Amino acid sequence: MKNYKVSLTSSGAITQVPDSQRLFGALVYMYAKEFGNEEAAKFTKHILEREIHIALSNLLPIDYLPTPQEYLIDKLSEKGAKDIDLKKKRAAIKERSYLKLSELNKAFKNPEDCESLYPYIKQNSMQQLRASLDHESEPDTKLYSVPCMTLSEVSSYEEAKSFEKGYNFYLQSDDSKDACNFYKMLCESVNLHTTMILGKRASQGLNMFRLVGIEEQPECDASIEDFLNTGMLLPHLINFQNSTLKIFTSERRPFEMQGGWNKDRNKYFISFIAEGSVISVPKGLEDTGKSIVSPFNKERDIVFGNAFLFPLPQIKGGN
């Protein structure tokens, strides 16, 4: 099993941090451009039927990992020390959306010291004002707001600045022919600095990223059983009892739909294990997640649920 870290830069504002499903959709689109729609359909079918293994993380601030907030809060509660202000400690953990690995190791060892963990990334929601021109009649400027998300890097108690260092995502793949073709396609796209659209409003310059690098990562020690989930995971084989999970539920819409949600169509909802969950894995990583058939285009589309799991040898022994 090979692991890779893929680096990107953002060319503008983002409306949200792209998740592993959105990344998968964009990468399959690139795969189809390289090998054709028929081969792309075969590729997704092989993933669905577990004939090949591909796992992806969400897009992450470069050199940062999602904070296992629920796990750390649970550990704080277990301590139950009277001299600990749990409310204040929980707030400090919740503010730290992403931590570097060195700070994560400190958090696992002493979660009560979470207020002293620096640097960290916090997410901020905002509204960005935009203007459009109406050309159908007399020129008229219309103002409207667009929800955006910014990331701030906090390096001390008082110093916070906009995070502009770039992003990365993790890829795991087996040595099958399809997976090798997928990796080669990705390498070529990196060499060409291909632009990826990872969200809505790309025509306004939002959610656009450029591929800039790819590097192989160390293989995972087979003895490790605990992992940090970094993507949108649909579980196949995990140890639920020894895991600490955060569940994310979203409404599903077909990719081709335009003009908003059709109220006459059935609504679909799906729940994932979200990033930052701590997963206990009883078998191999390739058996942890799964993908399912999309309810909208069953002959072509899948709901991708193979999330990249980052090894956590420091919490060996269960949760």
Side-chain angles (χ1 to χ4, degrees), residues 248-261:
F248 174 82
T249 300
S250 66
E251 183 178 349
R252 313 308 295 173
R253 305 187 182 198
F255 181 77
E256 293 85 0
M257 182 175 292
Q258 297 179 357
W261 181 258

Side-chain angles (χ1 to χ4, degrees), residues 31 42 44 47 51 54 79 116 164 171 212 224 282 296:
Y31 189 92
K42 291 180 181 178
T44 57
I47 291 176
E51 296 178 3
I54 295 286
K79 289 181 176 291
S116 62
E164 299 176 350
L171 163 69
V212 295
I224 297 175
F296 301 111

Side-chain angles (χ1 to χ4, degrees), residues 169-186:
F169 66 87
Y170 290 95
L171 163 69
Q172 184 175 77
S173 66
D174 59 22
D175 58 359
S176 64
K177 180 181 177 181
D178 285 341
C180 290
N181 286 338
F182 184 80
Y183 170 71
K184 291 177 182 178
M185 176 275 299
L186 187 55

